[in-house]
Amino acid sequence: MSLRFGIIFLTCCLFPALAGADEVEQGLKQQFEGKTLVLRHPLEGSSMEFDADGKVLKGGDEGPWTVYGGVLIDDVALSPEKLSFKGRRILFLFLNQQFTAMELKKRNPILEPPFPPSVELEIKLDRALDSADQAQTILGRVFALNNADLLDSIPDYWRDFLRDRLLYDPSAKPEAEFRWQPPPRTSVRKLAQNAGPDATSGHQDDDKLPLVFRAGSGVTAPRPTYTPEPKYSAAASYEKFQGVLVASVIIGTDGNIHSIRVIRPLGLGLDESARSMLQTWRFDPAKRDGKPVAVEMNIEVSFNLY
């Protein structure tokens, strides 16, 4: 009699927990399947593992967020031990200066894509989830689930450019998750005021160059002495994507580039490639009254497939 009572008691206690987990899983499916989520850590591997705190357990090195950050969620599964996702890579690029999200697809039966289009992701759980709030908290450690999280997860030079332009809301319909808007007029006026030859304070993230000039009106332009070309990213080459990237840089009195800010990006990893190569460029510095000075200027980097 006592054994039968124990079995009945255990079943009664277990059933609500199972029912709660099933409700959480169904809620996650409704909320995220068919949506594009952005990884806080854009891992290059096609199989990824995280713990419940968002720490990377498996997945390879981190790469450009415009190549490895986006995942279109096809399936969500929840068990007491893990939260699993299956999905497809989503690439981010700028077509006609407009932010665009597109799926990586096999375009040539002979040419292999640079990485598998499909991805699998697991989040190891410390304990079974029984509420939507618990699931949301853990997911927010792995994915950027709002615009502020997205801006926080990308590098500074991207954040400054996207802050007033890109709006990301994964709770919206799939076609409205990413919204692109022109920068506020106040930002445009501020740039216009600082566009003359007078000295400026330079980029906000550069505290080593207190006085920065523009070339002209007594300031000679720096002369390039070493300007190797950046490499094409594998994703951009596969997609046959071409364009011209524009970056605002500060060239110091030592002839080195000390700050790089995105003005007109391309995406698909080309911006990271350009930035890495620009950091190796060397110049004879700009001069004012015969003395070297730091200058701020725009540099165009062309990516063309021949």
Side-chain angles (χ1 to χ4, degrees), residues 8-283:
I8 294 174
F9 178 79
L10 180 62
T11 302
C12 292
C13 292
L14 185 61
F15 180 76
L18 293 176
D22 184 64
E23 290 178 359
V24 173
E25 182 182 62
Q26 291 304 313
L28 292 172
K29 285 179 173 291
Q30 293 176 5
Q31 186 174 1
F32 294 114
E33 287 184 356
K35 300 293 186 66
T36 296
L37 300 185
V38 180
L39 290 163
R40 288 182 175 272
H41 298 281
L43 302 175
E44 296 179 353
S46 58
S47 178
M48 311 173 204
E49 290 184 5
F50 301 82
D51 66 14
D53 293 323
K55 180 182 177 181
V56 177
L57 303 177
K58 173 185 174 183
D61 297 329
E62 291 194 29
W65 75 277
T66 52
V67 177
Y68 300 103
V71 180
L72 175 61
I73 305 299
D74 291 321
D75 182 70
V76 181
L78 175 64
S79 71
E81 297 82 19
K82 62 185 178 181
L83 184 56
S84 304
F85 296 85
K86 293 182 179 179
R88 291 163 279 166
R89 292 281 189 189
I90 294 295
L91 306 177
F92 301 128
L93 66 158
F94 293 82
L95 291 173
N96 300 320
Q97 302 184 41
Q98 297 286 317
F99 181 86
T100 304
M102 72 177 192
E103 187 177 346
L104 173 68
K105 296 183 178 180
K106 187 172 176 61
R107 300 177 179 274
N108 190 309
I110 300 176
L111 183 64
E112 288 294 324
F115 45 80
S118 299
V119 294
E120 295 186 359
L121 185 149
E122 290 185 356
I123 303 175
K124 304 292 186 181
L125 302 176
D126 298 328
R127 57 190 178 88
L129 299 180
D130 54 13
S131 73
D133 289 342
Q134 289 178 352
Q136 195 82 4
T137 298
I138 292 175
L139 284 175
R141 298 167 183 163
V142 175
F143 297 103
L145 297 182
N146 53 58
N147 200 66
D149 287 348
L150 173 60
L151 293 175
D152 182 61
S153 68
I154 58 179
D156 291 344
Y157 60 93
W158 272 110
R159 188 180 305 124
D160 292 340
F161 176 77
L162 293 177
R163 180 176 288 112
D164 297 325
R165 294 175 171 88
L166 181 63
L167 298 177
Y168 171 59
D169 182 7
S171 67
K173 294 181 179 180
E175 63 273 14
E177 280 188 84
F178 299 94
R179 288 185 291 159
W180 186 251
Q181 62 183 16
R185 290 190 177 185
T186 53
S187 298
V188 175
R189 285 199 297 269
K190 184 177 179 181
L191 289 173
Q193 291 170 357
N194 293 335
D198 296 334
T200 70
S201 60
H203 295 173
Q204 294 180 354
D205 61 349
D206 200 316
D207 56 1
K208 297 180 181 180
L209 298 169
L211 195 61
V212 180
F213 294 84
R214 294 280 193 176
S217 297
V219 179
T220 62
R223 183 176 63 86
T225 60
Y226 179 73
T227 56
E229 294 184 359
K231 297 180 180 180
Y232 235 99
S233 68
S237 179
Y238 181 78
E239 296 292 341
K240 298 182 179 179
F241 181 60
Q242 305 180 96
V244 178
L245 176 147
V246 181
S248 174
V249 304
I250 292 179
I251 302 173
T253 56
D254 57 1
N256 298 335
I257 291 180
H258 290 267
S259 178
I260 302 172
R261 183 160 52 93
V262 175
I263 298 297
R264 190 171 70 198
L266 292 175
L268 293 186
L270 295 176
D271 313 275
E272 286 76 10
S273 177
R275 188 174 188 274
S276 177
M277 192 57 65
L278 284 172
Q279 290 174 329
T280 71
W281 283 19
R282 299 293 180 263
F283 298 81

